[in-house]
Amino acid sequence: MDAANILRNRGLRVTKIRVAILEALGEGLQALPYGDLQKKLSQFDRTTIYRTLLALIDKGLIHKALEENNESYYALCSDCTSNLHNHNHVHFKCNECSSVQCLHISKEVGLSIPEIVIDSIEITAKGTCSTCLLTH
Amino acid sequence: MDAANILRNRGLRVTKIRVAILEALGEGLQALPYGDLQKKLSQFDRTTIYRTLLALIDKGLIHKALEENNESYYALCSDCTSNLHNHNHVHFKCNECSSVQCLHISKEVGLSIPEIVIDSIEITAKGTCSTCLLTH
DNA sequence: ATCTTTTATGCAACATTGTTGCGTTTATGT
DNA sequence: ACATAAACGCAACAATGTTGCATAAAAGAT
Ligand SMILES: [Mn+2]
Ligand SMILES: [Mn+2]
Ligand SMILES: [Zn+2]
Ligand SMILES: [Zn+2]
């Protein structure tokens, strides 16, 4: 399904920047830092990028994969709806090239701590990505 | 051991702000957001707080527990040295009061992904803390 | 195709945090 | 107390977040 229809399905109007952001993240697994998005979308106002990201997150089309060194990485959602956000997959960041990707693997981590209630668990893995392994 | 001696042991000069930061984080498990630190340390220049945090992190005295919504949470290290940083414990954030604490529990998470090498794994749990559970 | 209404966008403005350079002050060993 | 290396405070700038408001654009109706 193309970006325009994806937007319509979530009750969002089809606008240039929304299509542009979805297409920028279009590869699927790869997450992009905000700075990269801003460069790719330099024809749009910064505020619009900001509000568009909020809208797409709200509708379950994208999610913030991780936040590190004051940089937020965004990626497409794979199976979220407007009402149900489901991001309990693993995020991986390469220490060499700083790339971030969503690893859609199911990983159950049972954690039980006395006196507190745990609702969700986020896992971030770090290491070396396949691309960087090749160039070694 | 008091803050002054902790600093000397890591080869850091004993200055007011370093002592103040260590004492601000002094409870141990609780992490503090940068904003709170800045309020507590308002007698010091912002730049000095910034550089002091870097120095204390570098020497393995404190660590960034997590980064969320553009806020960094700092906590004391429990068993780091100047050379060996060991932060592979769980971080917990309360969805109610936004408090963050280090959970010093050993949690092995084996992750094996083809084509990539994983060096470390960070786990962040979210839910309701003991304090917020009581006030319900 | 045009009109109407709702929503999105662009711009200005301000806040917070990060980051560096540099002159001054302070901590520490002698 | 002195010398010196290190730390601090201040100025300055960058990046991102955030809001209000006037203008432009999208969607549905005519
Ligand atoms: Mn993801
Ligand atoms: Mn911790
Ligand atoms: Zn890489
Ligand atoms: Zn709480």
Side-chain angles (χ1 to χ4, degrees), chain A residues 37-51:
Chain A
L37 279 174
Q38 190 165 322
K39 280 181 208 107
K40 284 198 178 188
L41 304 168
S42 55
Q43 70 265 40
F44 301 101
D45 185 80
R46 203 167 60 77
T47 310
T48 306
I49 299 175
Y50 168 71
R51 283 195 265 234

Side-chain angles (χ1 to χ4, degrees), chain A residues 111-121, chain B residues 30 91-101 103 124-136:
Chain A
L111 261 190
S112 181
I113 315 287
E115 294 189 16
I116 71 176
V117 171
I118 294 179
D119 295 329
S120 63
I121 293 181
Chain B
Q30 198 74 12
H91 290 124
F92 173 78
K93 180 169 188 182
C94 175
N95 290 324
E96 307 286 328
C97 67
S98 297
S99 69
V100 173
Q101 50 189 282
L103 300 181
T124 302
K126 299 190 183 178
T128 312
C129 75
S130 54
T131 303
C132 290
L133 282 176
L134 287 176
T135 56
H136 273 356

Side-chain angles (χ1 to χ4, degrees), chain A residues 91-107:
Chain A
H91 290 124
F92 174 79
K93 180 168 188 181
C94 176
N95 291 324
E96 307 285 326
C97 66
S98 297
S99 69
V100 171
Q101 51 189 282
C102 301
L103 301 180
H104 288 284
I105 57 177
S106 57
K107 188 66 191 177

Side-chain angles (χ1 to χ4, degrees), chain B residues 17-122:
Chain B
I17 192 174
R18 285 172 183 172
V19 171
I21 287 186
L22 290 181
E23 291 181 345
L25 298 177
E27 296 310 316
L29 296 182
Q30 198 74 12
L32 284 184
Y34 173 79
D36 282 18
L37 279 174
Q38 190 164 324
K39 281 180 208 111
K40 284 198 181 191
L41 305 169
S42 56
Q43 71 263 40
F44 301 102
D45 186 80
R46 204 167 62 79
T47 312
T48 307
I49 299 175
Y50 168 72
R51 282 194 266 233
T52 302
L53 290 173
L54 287 182
L56 296 179
I57 289 172
D58 183 56
K59 297 299 181 181
L61 289 175
I62 68 174
H63 65 286
K64 194 181 280 195
L66 71 82
E67 215 172 316
E68 192 174 80
N69 294 126
N70 319 299
E71 196 144 43
S72 294
Y73 288 73
Y74 297 91
L76 289 183
C77 291
S78 53
D79 58 349
C80 292
T81 67
S82 298
N83 298 316
L84 183 60
H85 292 231
N86 173 36
H87 302 139
N88 59 335
H89 53 270
V90 176
H91 290 124
F92 173 78
K93 180 169 188 182
C94 175
N95 290 324
E96 307 286 328
C97 67
S98 297
S99 69
V100 173
Q101 50 189 282
C102 302
L103 300 181
H104 289 285
I105 57 178
S106 57
K107 187 68 193 178
E108 294 297 320
V109 177
L111 261 189
S112 182
I113 315 287
E115 295 189 17
I116 70 176
V117 172
I118 294 178
D119 294 329
S120 63
I121 293 180
E122 293 172 19

Side-chain angles (χ1 to χ4, degrees), chain A residues 12-13 15 17-18 44-48 51-52 70:
Chain A
L12 287 172
R13 289 187 178 183
T15 66
I17 192 174
R18 288 174 181 169
F44 301 101
D45 185 80
R46 203 167 60 77
T47 310
T48 306
R51 283 195 265 234
T52 303
N70 320 300

